[in-house]
Amino acid sequence: QEQLVEFGGGLVHSGGSLRLSCAASGFTLDYYSIGWFRQAPGKEREGVSCISSSDGSTYYADSVKGRFTISRGNAKNTVWLQMNSLKPEDTAVYYCAASYSICSGPVEAFHYYYWGQGTQVTVSL
């Protein structure tokens, strides 16, 4: 059964860092673009970042550009989201998802087929 699982969420103080992992089971991530999304209470889901399978090209939402870094280790069938200089407004449930489309612009949920269950990130003042 194809499945994505996120790891690495938690509670961190403002200015701190977290590294989220997205691991796949039942299929290989080699042929998929991977996106990270987040959803805070009462807010719409936001596409944060994505990375292509073909050339490793990446995209970041303006809200996280310069602070977050997405990377992939195909041999480990895992994608990571390194989050630095975290702010309270980064508090949300973070989801990873897999898409057949390339990562070339804003991260739109309708492109993504497989989804993880989410991991909570809480940034305190």
Side-chain angles (χ1 to χ4, degrees), residues 26-37:
F27 69 108
T28 177
L29 295 181
D30 290 3
Y31 307 110
Y32 294 87
S33 293
I34 302 300
W36 283 96
F37 296 80

Side-chain angles (χ1 to χ4, degrees), residues 28-51:
T28 177
L29 295 181
D30 290 3
Y31 307 110
Y32 294 87
S33 293
I34 302 300
W36 283 96
F37 296 80
R38 66 186 182 185
Q39 189 164 20
K43 294 188 177 181
E44 293 187 357
R45 181 170 48 192
E46 175 189 14
V48 172
S49 180
C50 62
I51 185 167

Side-chain angles (χ1 to χ4, degrees), residues 20 28 32 34-35 39 50 58 64 66 75 95 105 107-108 118 120-121:
L20 303 183
T28 177
Y32 294 87
I34 302 300
Q39 189 164 20
C50 62
T58 58
V64 305
Y95 302 88
V107 190
E108 302 285 356
Q120 176 70 46
V121 171

Side-chain angles (χ1 to χ4, degrees), residues 1-82:
Q1 181 179 358
E2 297 87 355
Q3 192 173 11
L4 290 173
V5 180
E6 302 92 343
F7 300 95
L11 173 64
V12 63
H13 290 298
S14 182
S17 298
L18 283 174
R19 188 193 197 201
L20 303 183
S21 301
C22 173
S25 61
F27 69 108
T28 177
L29 295 181
D30 290 3
Y31 307 110
Y32 294 87
S33 293
I34 302 300
W36 283 96
F37 296 80
R38 66 186 182 185
Q39 189 164 20
K43 294 188 177 181
E44 293 187 357
R45 181 170 48 192
E46 175 189 14
V48 172
S49 180
C50 62
I51 185 167
S52 288
S53 61
S54 55
D55 59 0
S57 58
T58 58
Y59 175 88
Y60 298 94
D62 288 343
S63 57
V64 305
K65 196 173 295 181
R67 300 187 298 121
F68 289 12
T69 303
I70 190 170
S71 60
R72 64 191 304 155
N74 286 346
K76 295 184 178 181
N77 215 26
T78 301
V79 171
W80 297 279
L81 185 68
Q82 178 67 43

